[in-house]
């Protein structure tokens, strides 16, 4: 089944009966950033993107909200000194996030991107309220699990939505907003948690604060545009035109619809099953996506985030200051990546980022040899950690979540992103679970060398398999990838 383009009304007809209008085809090929007409304004889509990134802010906030208050929470709820219970309070979000992520593709395809955002906000609101009101460990775990479901459901939808509503000329810049919002969420959680040792039960306020951005997103999405690609795939062509007009302006509706029709030609219109992602013409792009997210986690980035405070404390730096330094390094790199994403391109930033991470992880491996380096090992360890986080935020952090929705065809985009993010959560879980055990058995030099080697493998993989998508429409990317298969 395919779409036939007329002047103002679009009807779904068989592809063999729907030859493209040559004038429309020609219009679709006009570059958005020059040539015969000016490209779409970035201002029209910016408010929609900002509302979408609230889910990334919440992701960052809930990732860091228990770091400072954990001691107070354990004391008030009666499990102080129980390291297993404290670990569960921190990590149970991973289980909820994996569950939410598994269903994110089906939800986004079934009810649309806007409703999926609102649905992801619901467990975050309820979970934060339960955590704030509870007087038992079980209530805290239940609240954190609900929050985790929202954390797993929201970010994949955000990557989809931002990719689909952004003009090609600024899609990379807007995609970087996800990482920046996550960094801001982490920093804000640290800031909110500062008075926790001075004000009794302040940790409850920390959870109540999280309700506000979740509610704002649920309400704000009522006024945002729906993804035109999703509407088009559902056969709601007239509505897709209306949304394109909201996002790109009336002058670019016809060419955008023509691009959609051109990329969808030959598609039977039926939804794809998860099993179809593992064979056939979609396997290559899904393999690239899952491998990228697996290598991102095998680089050791979350082990650095989770356990870096131990290194800082060993040289006399307070954990709160260490967390702020890490957050500033992460945020600084993300801002630079935003400025360079649509200039240097995704592939250059991603490969350079992994090479930088390999080098800086090597510095940490050298710093672990304290017997030979003496006091100099401190500079290698602390400097290596901060530079590693900075290198990560320049490419390996923001690029995969932007690049993968760009290279996935519209038909499989939501489910493929859900699969790739699920791989991310599984590898994240096992790396975090085994890190301390491997550190004890192998020692820091061997383990850090393994992480550095994984970064080198990732950089080589990017150079060989990842395509550049800078400045191209989603439909141009899809057509070019299908032609190479």
């Amino acid at each position: 089944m395919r779409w036939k383009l007329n002047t103002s009304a679009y009807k779904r007809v068989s592809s063999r009966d729907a030859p493209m209008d040559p004038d429309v085809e020609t219009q679709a090929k006009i570059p958005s950033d020059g040539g015969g007409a000016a490209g779409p304004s970035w201002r029209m889509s910016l408010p929609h993107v900002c509302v979408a990134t609230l889910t990334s802010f919440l992701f960052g906030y809930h990732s860091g909200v228990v770091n400072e208050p954990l001691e107070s929470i354990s004391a008030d709820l009666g499990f102080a000194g129980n390291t297993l219970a404290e670990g569960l309070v921190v990590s149970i979000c991973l289980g909820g996030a994996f569950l939410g992520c598994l269903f994110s593709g089906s939800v986004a395809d079934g009810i649309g991107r806007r409703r999926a955002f609102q649905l992801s906000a619901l467990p975050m609101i309820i979970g934060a309220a339960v955590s704030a009101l509870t007087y038992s460990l079980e209530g805290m775990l239940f609240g954190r699990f609900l929050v985790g479901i929202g954390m797993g459901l929201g970010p994949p939808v955000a990557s989809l939505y931002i990719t689909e509503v952004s003009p090609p000329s600024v899609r990379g810049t807007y995609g970087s907003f996800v990482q920046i919002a996550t960094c801001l969420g982490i920093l804000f959680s640290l800031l909110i948690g500062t008075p926790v040792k001075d004000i009794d039960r302040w940790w409850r306020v920390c959870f109540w604060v999280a309700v506000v951005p979740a509610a704002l997103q649920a309400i704000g999405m009522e006024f945002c545009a729906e993804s035109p690609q999703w509407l088009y795939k559902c056969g709601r062509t007239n509505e897709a035109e209306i949304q394109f007009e909201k996002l790109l302006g009336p002058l670019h509706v016809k060419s955008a619809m023509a691009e959609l029709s051109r990329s969808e030609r030959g598609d039977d219109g039926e939804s794809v099953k998860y099993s179809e992602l593992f064979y056939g013409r979609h396997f290559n792009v899904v393999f690239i996506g899952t491998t990228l997210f697996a290598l991102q986690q095998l680089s050791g980035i979350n082990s650095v985030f989770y356990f870096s405070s131990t290194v800082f404390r060993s040289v006399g730096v307070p954990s709160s200051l260490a967390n702020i330094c890490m957050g500033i390094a992460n945020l600084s790199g993300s801002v630079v990546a935003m400025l360079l994403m649509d200039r240097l391109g995704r592939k250059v930033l991603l490969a350079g980022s992994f090479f930088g991470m390999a080098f800086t992880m090597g510095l940490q491996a050298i710093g672990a040899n304290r017997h030979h380096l003496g006091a100099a090992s401190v500079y290698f360890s602390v400097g290596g950690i901060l530079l590693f986080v900075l290198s990560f935020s320049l490419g390996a952090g923001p690029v995969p979540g932007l690049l993968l929705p760009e290279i996935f065809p519209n038909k499989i985009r939501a489910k493929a992103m859900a699969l790739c993010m699920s791989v991310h959560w599984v590898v994240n879980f096992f790396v975090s679970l085994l890190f301390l055990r491997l550190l004890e058995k192998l020692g820091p030099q061997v383990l850090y060398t393994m992480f550095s080697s994984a970064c080198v493998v990732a950089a080589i993989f990017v150079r060989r398999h990842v395509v550049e998508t800078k400045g191209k429409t989603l439909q141009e990317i899809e057509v070019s990838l299908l032609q190479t298969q």
Side-chain angles (χ1 to χ4, degrees), residues 226-233 236-247 253 257 260:
E226 181 55 271
S227 164
Q229 280 82 358
W230 178 75
L231 291 169
Y232 187 91
K233 186 169 68 171
R236 296 158 62 178
T237 320
N238 290 332
E239 294 177 59
E241 284 184 304
I242 294 170
Q243 301 308 310
F244 268 134
E245 187 170 349
K246 268 188 184 181
L247 296 165
V253 172
M257 293 299 298
L260 270 179

Side-chain angles (χ1 to χ4, degrees), residues 127-147:
V130 169
S131 299
L133 294 170
T134 188
Y135 285 90
S136 67
L137 172 62
E138 293 76 16
M140 176 60 68
L141 293 178
F142 178 64
R144 293 285 288 166
F145 184 77
L146 288 178
V147 165

Side-chain angles (χ1 to χ4, degrees), residues 304-314 317-319 322-323 385:
V304 169
F305 278 131
Y306 295 154
F307 304 106
S308 60
S309 58
T310 304
V311 176
F312 282 95
R313 279 199 302 268
S314 68
V317 179
S319 60
N323 290 331
I385 287 175

